[in-house]
Amino acid sequence: MPTLTATARRNEARETYNAFLATCPAHQLLARISDKWVSLVLSALSNGPMRYSDLSRKIAGASQKMLTQTLRTLERDGLVSREVTPSVPVRVDYALTELGASLMPVIRAVKDWSERNITSVLAARQSYDLGATSR
Amino acid sequence: MPTLTATARRNEARETYNAFLATCPAHQLLARISDKWVSLVLSALSNGPMRYSDLSRKIAGASQKMLTQTLRTLERDGLVSREVTPSVPVRVDYALTELGASLMPVIRAVKDWSERNITSVLAARQSYDLGATSR
DNA sequence: CCGCATCCCCTTCGATACTG
DNA sequence: CAGTATCGAAGGGGATGCGG
């Protein structure tokens, strides 16, 4: 049954490939920084440390849950630091670590490319969509 | 009822913010290139044009559906070109456009940063997870 | 003030089968 | 060879309420 073996081989190839992807540094980190809220949080913190509530106000689109979750993963990855002041009420300050700061130029590069080329992309989309309707 | 108005204001703030995000070039394009398969497809094509089946073999982890979908959006955004040769059987070639090629340095920058700093990130994770278990 | 836990929707993605 | 169509499972993310 050649069909079965072909399918089996495809599955095996996929597994192998995905295992490779899981250990690929570039891909892991791309996945991190491309998270919907990560770039916004890092950008906000690039101007200096902020309290949780400040971030919450600044990044109004994020739910509490997403903001906390994002900050946790960033802390875990050593990109931001978290300092708790056990006063009443509690105060928590977040700041970019050195590692986090070193990532900013990369984020800026993405941003720069985007702003330079967004018009081309938008034009391409319009032209593509036009072709679709006339078909 | 102050609670209600507070909630209402948060919702309004969120909507405004999300509307802003939807029109933000940097965010739109970050979302594009950060798609799981986009960087892989672009990297594969950076060595020269490839046929659909070649891409499918090279990027073994992607399902047919995802590969096609990815190629469609990239074509729509003007980052890759799609050329159909109506022979029997059909032959379709994909290639990077000039715009797509101009994006490669940015992708390379992300990759370079990742490879330089992955050890730091991994170390940070380990230390973070250690602290959690001992707590 | 900060954050965790629960519930629930709704999108996303893989598997499979079918067309030109 | 190069897709398209449909279905079902899985998980992201919001709303809400409680705890320190």
Side-chain angles (χ1 to χ4, degrees):
Chain A
M1 27 180 86
T3 308
L4 259 181
T5 45
T7 304
R9 258 188 317 185
R10 289 188 73 129
N11 285 340
E12 189 188 320
R14 182 159 19 236
E15 274 180 53
T16 306
Y17 196 85
N18 287 337
F20 161 72
L21 272 192
T23 63
C24 171
H27 204 264
Q28 283 183 62
L29 289 174
L30 184 60
R32 255 299 158 282
I33 71 168
S34 68
D35 181 279
K36 189 176 180 185
W37 304 112
V38 165
S39 57
L40 293 166
V41 170
L42 291 179
S43 295
L45 289 178
S46 69
N47 300 324
M50 293 183 81
R51 297 185 55 177
Y52 179 89
S53 47
D54 293 334
L55 281 169
S56 184
R57 257 185 301 279
K58 178 127 187 178
I59 311 179
S63 65
Q64 263 184 348
K65 180 181 173 178
M66 283 303 98
L67 185 54
T68 301
Q69 197 175 95
T70 303
L71 288 166
R72 278 293 107 74
T73 63
L74 289 176
E75 187 197 358
R76 188 169 107 100
D77 288 355
L79 297 173
V80 309
S81 63
R82 176 172 182 270
E83 190 183 358
V84 182
T85 308
S87 53
V88 177
V90 190
R91 170 198 177 106
V92 183
D93 286 278
Y94 290 94
L96 242 46
T97 61
E98 208 174 314
L99 188 61
S102 80
L103 182 55
M104 291 309 298
V106 177
I107 293 184
R108 182 175 295 270
V110 174
K111 197 181 162 210
D112 287 350
W113 188 92
S114 302
E115 288 170 351
R116 274 201 310 276
N117 296 287
I118 182 68
T119 54
S120 303
V121 171
L122 255 33
R125 280 188 198 166
Q126 210 160 27
S127 135
Y128 183 92
D129 292 348
L130 232 62
T133 50
S134 73
R135 202 193 318 140
Chain B
M1 32 179 85
T3 307
L4 259 181
T5 45
T7 304
R9 259 188 315 185
R10 290 188 72 130
N11 285 340
E12 190 188 320
R14 184 163 13 240
E15 273 180 54
T16 307
Y17 196 87
N18 287 337
F20 161 71
L21 272 191
T23 63
C24 170
H27 204 265
Q28 281 182 65
L29 288 175
L30 184 60
R32 256 295 160 283
I33 71 169
S34 67
D35 182 278
K36 188 176 180 186
W37 303 112
V38 164
S39 57
L40 293 165
V41 170
L42 293 180
S43 294
L45 289 177
S46 70
N47 300 323
M50 292 182 82
R51 300 183 54 175
Y52 180 88
S53 47
D54 293 333
L55 282 169
S56 184
R57 256 185 302 279
K58 179 129 187 177
I59 310 179
S63 65
Q64 257 185 354
K65 183 179 173 180
M66 282 304 98
L67 184 55
T68 300
Q69 197 175 94
T70 303
L71 288 166
R72 280 292 112 75
T73 63
L74 289 176
E75 187 197 358
R76 188 169 105 101
D77 288 354
L79 297 173
V80 308
S81 62
R82 176 172 181 271
E83 189 184 358
V84 181
T85 307
S87 54
V88 177
V90 189
R91 170 196 177 107
V92 183
D93 285 279
Y94 290 93
L96 242 46
T97 62
E98 209 173 313
L99 188 62
S102 80
L103 182 55
M104 292 308 299
V106 177
I107 292 185
R108 181 175 296 271
V110 174
K111 198 182 162 210
D112 287 349
W113 188 92
S114 302
E115 289 171 351
R116 274 201 311 276
N117 296 287
I118 182 67
T119 54
S120 303
V121 171
L122 256 30
R125 279 189 199 165
Q126 208 159 28
S127 133
Y128 182 92
D129 292 347
L130 232 61
T133 51
S134 73
R135 203 191 314 139

